Amino acid sequence: MDQSTRSSNSDVPMKATVVPISAVQLKSVCSSCSLRELCLPMGLSPEDVERLDQLVYARRKVKRGEGLYRAGDPFSAIYAVRTGFFKSDVILEDGRDQVTGFHMPGEIMGMDGIGTEAHSCNAIALEDSDVCVIPFSRLEELANEVRGLQRQFHKVMSREIVRDQGVMMLLGSMRAEERLAAFLLNLSQRFVARGYSPCEFHLRMTRDEIGSFLGLKLETVSRLFSKFQEDGLIGVQQKHIRIRDTVGLKNILGQDR
Amino acid sequence: MDQSTRSSNSDVPMKATVVPISAVQLKSVCSSCSLRELCLPMGLSPEDVERLDQLVYARRKVKRGEGLYRAGDPFSAIYAVRTGFFKSDVILEDGRDQVTGFHMPGEIMGMDGIGTEAHSCNAIALEDSDVCVIPFSRLEELANEVRGLQRQFHKVMSREIVRDQGVMMLLGSMRAEERLAAFLLNLSQRFVARGYSPCEFHLRMTRDEIGSFLGLKLETVSRLFSKFQEDGLIGVQQKHIRIRDTVGLKNILGQDR
DNA sequence: CGGGTCGATTGATCCATATCAATGCGGAGA
DNA sequence: TCTCCGCATTGATATGGATCAATCGACCCG
């Protein structure tokens, strides 16, 4: 719903029926993308960003509930979210699943597939979404020519590793309240970086998905939302969240109870 | 104690007193390293491995309990464990800490530092250890020339991301028993790959460190070791572990209780 | 506009793991 | 060889979050 404000004017409205695919794939250049300061081009010189343009030649639309890729799919590209919202999850044989992350515009997905040439998790769109397809072998080639790109790509992967460490910290040593507070603060931060309000946003995922990510049951997540609301820290109405007391939320972190 | 069996004959015994540092740093080449099939050179052609030799020019000894790097240290190199054993951990202001991984010979450490040019976690030796120092800017340079190296380095980073997903799964959706069983099986596998016995090994870390990694308290870890022993799955004597029933351990995984 | 469905909320109870506490054991150093 | 100290074990009890269950509410579709 609010994604429309981010898209470039050449974008086709979501509701449009059939559009020639070429029309969608034609104009997709990093140099004019509003997300370039958050995404792969971050920190590159304008000239280098233009060289990236030749790489990111395709876009792909993914409808809500559909997968961008699934565990086991052969790996060929990484993806930059342009509009929309994704989750990644890993599913065990016995059906249990673990959400390993949520992804918003400007973030890179799919790097899990490089090591084994097959994806190790599922990437599911939580709303109708749009990604830039970055063919990996071409990325590696271009990284050889464009020094800044090589460095930048390494940084992106490294930050993913650091992010994962943070999630381990969350899951391994925080109490339920702390996990949810940290989660909300993290979302808020990422929304701000994208020009949205830091204190008011729409959750794209269900309580169950939040719970899976945080290692909690959905009932616990729901109760904590209610508790935070009673304590005046946030306002909750279904998926709409308003952060009323950022400091209060931060204080939950690290206090023994 | 059992590490001696792996080292090349040019290695100085651990107990030797003072050895000229140059002697230690001189011979450190991937092409003759017994770990080359597990480490960064994995899958590279012999010629490419020789080019790696010029990169990995220094070794560094780290005594038990000392840090290879600490959170906040400026980033300049990644490291390949040659001998010994490390843990990585992240420490919060309030003192809580989370062990994010254990590292054995052939594994690469330090990639967390690339993104911000500073390390985000501590790497502590759990026994007297020895690492190859891989200056990162040189690695990036060489990766431009040696195509296989670039690819291989990306794979190493990607595998780290996938490993982290596995830990999230562990912490987020497994019960205590499952976590410990998965941990033991994982260690076993990694020891086998290094030519050690799959069913008998020495834990280098304390119960507290295992607990921190698995999101459990040390008492819980201890009780579970005892329980597994009673059930005939393993033999435990302090840090010495013998796996008696691999299938039984695997069966713990994924069963609802 | 009304019925159905999926997700969210809330309450009552249970249980896995934490916490608190005491004892034991093995290796290092005198 | 003795002693000390850090780590491990084991027991008793407490509790945070899970589980089970019921109701509610919003949105979608006909």
Side-chain angles (χ1 to χ4, degrees), chain A residues 105-162:
Chain A
E107 294 175 345
I108 307 291
M109 305 175 63
M111 295 175 292
D112 57 283
I114 301 169
T116 56
E117 322 240 333
H119 288 285
S120 63
C121 63
N122 307 297
I124 315 285
L126 296 183
E127 59 185 35
D128 289 355
S129 302
D130 198 353
V131 300
C132 297
V133 179
I134 305 170
F136 188 66
S137 52
R138 303 247 247 126
L139 173 63
E140 282 191 324
E141 274 165 34
L142 193 62
N144 273 330
E145 295 165 34
V146 182
R147 212 52 204 300
L149 175 61
Q150 183 196 41
R151 166 55 60 106
Q152 181 54 22
F153 175 62
H154 292 158
K155 287 190 173 190
V156 168
M157 289 204 96
S158 171
R159 284 197 203 98
E160 175 76 22
I161 290 172
V162 173

Side-chain angles (χ1 to χ4, degrees), chain B residues 39-55:
Chain B
C39 192
L40 196 54
M42 184 168 89
L44 294 190
S45 68
E47 308 84 66
D48 287 352
V49 177
E50 269 177 43
R51 303 210 51 190
L52 246 188
D53 290 351
Q54 61 189 101
L55 182 65

Side-chain angles (χ1 to χ4, degrees), chain A residues 176 216-217 219-220 223 257:
Chain A
L216 303 171
K217 290 296 159 184
E219 295 94 330
T220 305
R223 274 184 245 275
R257 106 192 21 231

Side-chain angles (χ1 to χ4, degrees), chain A residues 149-217:
Chain A
L149 175 61
Q150 183 196 41
R151 166 55 60 106
Q152 181 54 22
F153 175 62
H154 292 158
K155 287 190 173 190
V156 168
M157 289 204 96
S158 171
R159 284 197 203 98
E160 175 76 22
I161 290 172
V162 173
R163 186 195 74 87
D164 292 349
Q165 286 177 355
V167 178
M168 285 182 219
M169 179 92 219
L170 196 107
L171 292 172
S173 27
M174 289 179 154
R175 291 168 309 104
E177 275 191 20
E178 293 181 275
R179 295 184 202 183
L180 190 64
F183 174 69
L184 290 174
L185 290 168
N186 174 271
L187 277 187
S188 165
Q189 253 183 249
R190 287 154 74 198
F191 280 126
V192 178
R194 282 153 187 82
Y196 297 115
S197 164
C199 59
E200 201 159 0
F201 48 82
H202 191 81
L203 295 173
R204 273 76 170 180
M205 69 296 279
T206 66
R207 301 288 189 263
D208 197 25
E209 286 162 336
I210 297 173
S212 170
F213 180 63
L214 298 179
L216 303 171
K217 290 296 159 184

Side-chain angles (χ1 to χ4, degrees), chain B residues 74-127:
Chain B
F75 169 77
S76 66
I78 61 174
Y79 306 90
V81 181
R82 250 188 88 93
T83 64
F85 207 89
F86 287 83
K87 71 169 176 181
S88 299
D89 66 3
V90 183
I91 303 192
L92 289 185
E93 320 76 55
D94 62 6
R96 276 183 298 186
D97 79 328
Q98 172 72 28
V99 172
T100 55
F102 296 107
H103 313 280
M104 48 179 81
E107 294 175 344
I108 307 291
M109 307 174 61
M111 295 175 293
D112 57 283
I114 302 168
T116 56
E117 322 239 333
H119 287 285
S120 63
C121 63
N122 307 297
I124 314 286
L126 296 183
E127 60 185 33

